[in-house]
Amino acid sequence: MVRAERLGSPARSMHLMDGRRVTLSDLIEADLLKPGQRVCFVRPRMGTSYTAEVTDGGRLRLADGLEYRSPSRAAMVAAGMRAVDGWHAWALDPDGGTLDKLRQELLDRAVATTSVTDDSPARLHEWLRSVRMSAEGDGPERISVRDLISRWGAKDRGDQISRIEADLANHGLATRPDFRGVTLDSEIAIITAVQEAEKEEVNDETSGPAQTLSNDPDDPDDRYIGLMIGNLPSALSGVVSVAPTSTIQEAVTKMLLNDFSQLAVMSGTHTLRGAVTWQSIAQARHLNPAATLAAATVSARDVGYRTDLLEILHDLQQRGFLFVRDEKNAVAGIVTVADVAGRYGVMANPFILIGDLDRLLRRAIAQALPIEAVTAQCDPQGRRISGYNDLSMGDYQRVLENPELWARMGWELDQKAFVARLDEIRKIRNDVMHFNPDPVPANAVEQLRSINEVLRRFTD
């Protein structure tokens, strides 16, 4: 078949294996799925089933005429469910093979023409297949986030995160907890997307807070990428608590021994009754020197570990602390104002230094080069740059990479070494400006300070 042969070309196979999610259109192009074909989603326990039709545009058309590019979204809407892995839910009618089975066949074809080396997509494909077999059989593989992303040659969850998510999704895999919502050294389990959807459905029936994420795993544009409360080390590092029947003396002792300002009041690992603080204890004892723990217990808020950190800053400022629930909906940690201040303090230094670097580079280029020379190099079509203030970090690098423009800068510096350092800084800048959840490298601040000092010598 012509389409299947075209799929086997090296360029096509590498493209599929390098960070793009498989779509229904890919299956149609490979002659694995045909427009007009019907698929069925059966829920035996509920005694219900739903049908959909594959469209020419690579969508699923439900019985009501609505069309969805995402199989998971189509299944969720059809069944009125919060979370479904549509690739496993929809099966070809009448033979019963799932869309996921076709997706795996597509990946197998794609990788068949790719050479296997230690760092090749084919080797990664083999590993992901073995991980899925473990998740479906003896048990999920457990691994740290740091070790997981190293499989893709990454050191942090920066620009590689979309590729990692796509490769996991293509193999029907997810992580518990979500590898984006915890620290680099947290341990995660690699599970199947079906297991993840089942867990989400169970969690939706509990009294804990919903996790702040899209429920459609097929849609990369619907996935939150940013700093989550679980990225703070204290969020899932454990919580010290007392039972509602404990005494104030026990609470005071635990707070003194651990140098805490507050404690959780809990009945078991999942039921948060409130909190006691130094302030609440003082107020209770002021009213009654013989006050019980119940009199000193105040309300406390708990949030899911995948909650957007910016979303809860105001509440955190008002309360001083929030408790955090993990992927099993257990109360697993506490975040205080000091924790957040420390995290943003770490981000503030490189943020400020990057702003200084931008101003220094812009001033140096403006002093040495006419804007016409800059736009000829960076924007020959004249569509976005009308002055020096329109220049981006990438524009600075393009200007300084040009031998002629570099010579006109008049700097007694080695061009190759300077541009190489600027390229390293560009990657740091992207991580900081895009709120990469992982801390910048230990030497990043010093690199920024050094290049800024060099530029000041040549622009003052």
Side-chain angles (χ1 to χ4, degrees), residues 368-394:
L369 303 173
I371 191 63
E372 293 77 15
V374 174
T375 53
Q377 177 67 23
C378 303
D379 184 27
Q381 303 300 320
R383 294 175 179 173
R384 62 181 181 84
I385 298 177
S386 58
Y388 297 105
N389 287 337
D390 297 325
L391 298 179
S392 66
M393 190 66 67

Side-chain angles (χ1 to χ4, degrees), residues 390-406:
D390 297 325
L391 298 179
S392 66
M393 190 66 67
D395 292 327
Y396 301 142
Q397 189 169 338
R398 280 186 284 274
V399 167
L400 299 177
E401 284 174 341
N402 182 289
E404 180 182 345
L405 297 180
W406 172 266

Side-chain angles (χ1 to χ4, degrees), residues 296-350:
T297 300
V298 295
S299 65
R301 182 184 174 189
D302 54 311
V303 297
Y305 77 100
R306 294 185 295 183
T307 302
D308 179 355
L309 184 57
L310 294 177
E311 179 183 313
I312 52 85
L313 284 182
H314 177 73
D315 200 11
L316 180 61
Q317 182 183 15
Q318 297 298 314
R319 295 173 178 267
F321 62 94
L322 296 171
F323 293 104
V324 183
R325 291 185 181 268
D326 63 14
E327 77 283 0
K328 297 178 181 178
N329 214 38
V331 178
I334 183 172
V335 167
T336 67
V337 171
D339 296 322
V340 176
R343 183 66 177 90
Y344 278 104
V346 170
M347 297 171 63
N349 275 342

Side-chain angles (χ1 to χ4, degrees), residues 37-189:
Q37 201 160 3
R38 297 186 69 80
V39 293
C40 186
F41 172 21
V42 180
R43 302 182 68 192
R45 288 186 296 176
M46 302 295 294
T48 57
S49 64
Y50 313 93
T51 60
E53 180 181 339
V54 179
T55 71
D56 291 335
R59 294 171 175 265
L60 291 183
R61 182 184 296 124
L62 300 181
D64 60 8
L66 294 176
E67 299 180 3
Y68 298 92
R69 176 173 58 88
S70 159
S72 294
R73 181 67 71 189
M76 290 158 59
V77 172
M81 298 173 66
R82 180 175 181 269
V84 185
D85 175 25
W87 288 88
H88 280 84
W90 295 108
L92 301 184
D93 189 16
D95 65 17
T98 65
L99 293 179
D100 175 70
K101 182 178 179 181
L102 299 183
R103 180 172 60 178
Q104 299 315 304
E105 182 177 343
L106 179 74
L107 294 175
D108 288 341
R109 286 189 193 178
V111 85
T113 58
T114 305
S115 60
V116 179
T117 61
D118 287 343
D119 59 350
S120 70
R123 179 70 69 189
L124 185 61
H125 175 67
E126 288 182 358
W127 178 72
L128 289 169
R129 287 188 64 180
S130 69
V131 168
R132 175 164 167 172
M133 289 178 63
S134 296
E136 293 175 335
D138 298 335
E141 179 164 339
R142 304 195 70 85
I143 189 173
S144 72
V145 174
R146 193 184 302 277
D147 288 340
L148 172 73
I149 65 177
S150 71
R151 291 278 180 170
W152 282 263
K155 294 182 179 180
D156 60 40
R157 290 164 291 189
D159 55 8
Q160 287 277 49
I161 194 168
S162 295
R163 178 188 175 195
I164 296 170
E165 285 190 322
D167 287 344
L168 288 171
N170 286 342
H171 287 81
L173 295 170
T175 66
R176 183 185 297 172
D178 186 339
F179 80 96
R180 297 170 304 135
V182 294
T183 65
L184 280 174
D185 294 313
S186 297
E187 184 180 73
I188 56 174

